């Protein structure tokens, strides 16, 4: 992201005010708001560009191996823009590893994917460690069956419906006698 000379002047003033609080003039406030809007627009534009790049990358990946040169170039651009290689990218590169450029990019993507997975695992473990209770096992109080539910009287389950015992003829129906085949002279040739 590049700032114009005017935007840098506003940014410098905003940082000076943040370090040494002082009352702001209306003009300074308006300049800071315009700068914030410009930065927000640049971030939105970067997001749109990234989405377009990833969609383009997907189209090229689906057209492999015919689009090898374009795919490798787009993948390099996406990696430079901060894209973490997905499983589809790794699978495509593995299929193309006979190409020296694809093999080199595969090694780079495997390293980046491993770093990404390790970073996600570290974030998850930090998040669970910071939210984990000090007790070894937390009880759910808001759900039925939790500690708070123990204070309320438990509803009695409905009594089971008693059915009469089945008769043996219902359980074991009578066997039907087999019907004898018709005599040979009554058989019709089909």
């Amino acid at each position: 992201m590049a700032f114009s000379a005017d935007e840098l002047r506003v940014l410098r003033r905003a940082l000076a005010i943040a370090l040494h609080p002082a009352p702001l003039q209306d003009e300074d406030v308006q300049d800071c708001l315009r700068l914030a809007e410009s930065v927000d627009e640049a971030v939105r534009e970067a997001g749109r560009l990234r989405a377009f790049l990833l969609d383009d990358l997907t189209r090229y990946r689906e057209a492999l191996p015919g689009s090898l040169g374009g795919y490798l170039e787009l993948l390099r651009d996406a990696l430079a823009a901060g894209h973490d290689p997905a499983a589809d990218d790794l699978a495509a590169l593995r299929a193309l590893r006979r190409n020296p450029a694809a093999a080199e990019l595969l090694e780079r993507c495997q390293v980046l994917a491993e770093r990404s997975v390790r970073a996600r695992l570290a974030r998850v473990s930090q998040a669970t460690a910071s939210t984990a209770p000090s007790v070894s096992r937390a009880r759910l109080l808001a759900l039925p069956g939790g500690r708070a539910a123990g204070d309320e009287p438990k509803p009695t389950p409905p009594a089971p419906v008693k059915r009469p015992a089945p008769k043996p003829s219902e359980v074991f129906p009578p066997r039907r006698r087999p019907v004898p085949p018709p005599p040979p002279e009554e058989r019709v040739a089909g």
Side-chain angles (χ1 to χ4, degrees):
M1 180 183 301
F3 291 105
S4 69
D6 211 24
E7 290 172 331
L8 282 175
R9 179 184 51 78
V10 172
L11 185 59
R12 200 168 118 218
R13 267 192 312 184
L15 290 173
I17 291 169
L19 291 173
H20 306 288
L24 291 175
Q25 296 177 3
D26 288 340
E27 182 183 324
D28 290 338
V29 171
Q30 292 303 319
D31 288 343
C32 287
L33 290 174
R34 276 194 297 274
L35 178 63
E37 287 175 10
S38 295
V39 169
D40 289 343
E41 178 59 31
V43 168
R44 284 191 297 272
E45 183 62 29
R48 285 191 294 269
L49 182 61
R50 178 179 160 88
F52 175 77
L53 179 63
L54 294 179
D55 287 345
D56 217 15
L57 182 66
T58 302
R59 281 191 293 277
Y60 273 77
R61 184 176 50 239
E62 289 170 356
L64 284 173
S67 62
L68 177 65
Y71 175 70
L72 295 178
E73 183 180 332
L74 280 173
L75 184 57
R76 281 189 194 100
D77 291 346
L79 294 174
H83 170 66
D84 286 329
D88 292 341
D89 295 319
L90 294 172
L93 289 172
R94 283 187 193 108
L96 301 168
R97 67 177 134 212
R98 289 188 183 138
N99 179 303
E104 177 185 330
L105 203 51
L106 174 62
E107 289 177 22
R108 180 177 170 202
C109 285
Q110 285 175 330
V111 169
L112 291 173
E114 185 176 333
R115 282 185 199 157
S116 175
V117 168
R118 288 182 190 274
R120 276 185 271 150
L121 288 174
R123 283 193 302 266
V124 168
S125 66
Q126 286 175 351
T128 56
S130 65
T131 59
S134 58
V135 180
S136 63
R137 187 173 215 178
R139 295 187 183 195
L140 298 175
L141 301 177
L143 297 176
R147 200 178 309 165
D151 300 339
E152 301 171 6
K154 293 182 181 178
T156 56
V161 177
K162 296 202 177 203
R163 291 183 276 171
K167 298 177 188 173
S169 61
E170 293 173 342
V171 177
F172 305 106
R175 290 189 184 177
R176 299 185 189 255
R177 294 185 184 157
V179 178
E185 54 275 343
E186 290 181 14
R187 290 186 195 167
V188 177

